[in-house]
């Protein structure tokens, strides 16, 4: 019933969650020295977006003006940057941090523009998924007892042909 699906949704909100997202501006350069020089320039008032277009070694920096949109499933793409961004406060310039575990490698300066916290998706958006998960759990819960009832009810009518078991179960 719809009531059961709504109850399942309410009891399992973690399954129907929009993951946390981070919006940031980043300048990625090859050396620590370059990063420190750019850090000074930002400190003197130059805009990170402008510096990212001219200096970042990320391919997409030209088009995005250094803006990145991060999801938890993109952790591997950004390596240490993702972990640092998760810890950083909005509006606070960070870095330089060394990026070793993702390509391109280098030194990153970044500022978190916005953190969008994880939140449950609206029921209307996930109703089909909630109905599916409820059905799966109900089947898992009910199937063993139904199978046992059928086994008990028809035990006298069941005949096992042991000579054919090797066709169904190898090594029997």
């Amino acid at each position: 019933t719809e009531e059961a699906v709504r109850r399942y949704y309410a009891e399992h909100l973690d399954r129907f969650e929009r993951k946390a997202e981070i919006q940031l501006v980043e300048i990625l350069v090859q050396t620590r020295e370059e990063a420190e020089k750019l850090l000074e320039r930002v400190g003197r008032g130059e805009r990170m977006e402008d510096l990212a277009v001219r200096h970042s070694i990320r391919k997409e920096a030209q088009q995005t003006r250094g803006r990145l949109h991060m999801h938890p499933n993109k952790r591997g793409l950004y390596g240490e940057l993702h972990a640092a961004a998760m810890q950083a406060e909005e509006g606070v310039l960070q870095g330089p941090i060394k990026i070793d575990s993702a390509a391109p490698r280098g030194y990153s300066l970044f500022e978190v523009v916005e953190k969008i916290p994880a939140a449950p998706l609206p029921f209307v958006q996930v109703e089909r998924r909630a109905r599916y998960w409820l059905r799966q759990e109900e089947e898992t819960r009910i199937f063993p007892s139904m199978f046992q009832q059928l086994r008990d009810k028809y035990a006298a009518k069941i005949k096992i042909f042991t000579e054919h078991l090797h066709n169904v179960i190898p090594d029997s």
Side-chain angles (χ1 to χ4, degrees), residues 131-143:
R131 190 174 305 282
Y132 168 82
W133 283 110
L134 175 61
R135 186 178 313 120
Q136 291 296 311
E137 286 189 13
E138 286 293 308
E139 287 174 3
T140 301
R141 184 180 61 78
I142 292 171
F143 185 75

Side-chain angles (χ1 to χ4, degrees), residues 41-98:
R41 290 174 68 177
V42 172
R44 290 194 303 264
E46 287 190 59
R47 293 183 41 138
M48 285 196 59
E49 291 89 344
D50 297 335
L51 293 171
V53 168
R54 291 196 304 271
H55 299 281
S56 186
I57 59 175
R58 284 205 194 274
K59 287 186 278 181
E60 65 272 14
Q62 291 277 324
Q63 295 85 14
T64 65
R65 300 185 50 76
R67 289 194 172 264
L68 297 174
H69 185 93
M70 293 185 167
H71 298 271
N73 59 346
K74 290 187 176 180
R75 260 184 294 246
L77 287 175
Y78 298 108
E80 295 85 355
L81 177 60
H82 187 275
M86 290 295 290
Q87 301 301 316
E89 292 182 36
E90 286 183 19
V92 179
L93 183 60
Q94 304 287 319
I97 63 165
K98 188 173 185 175

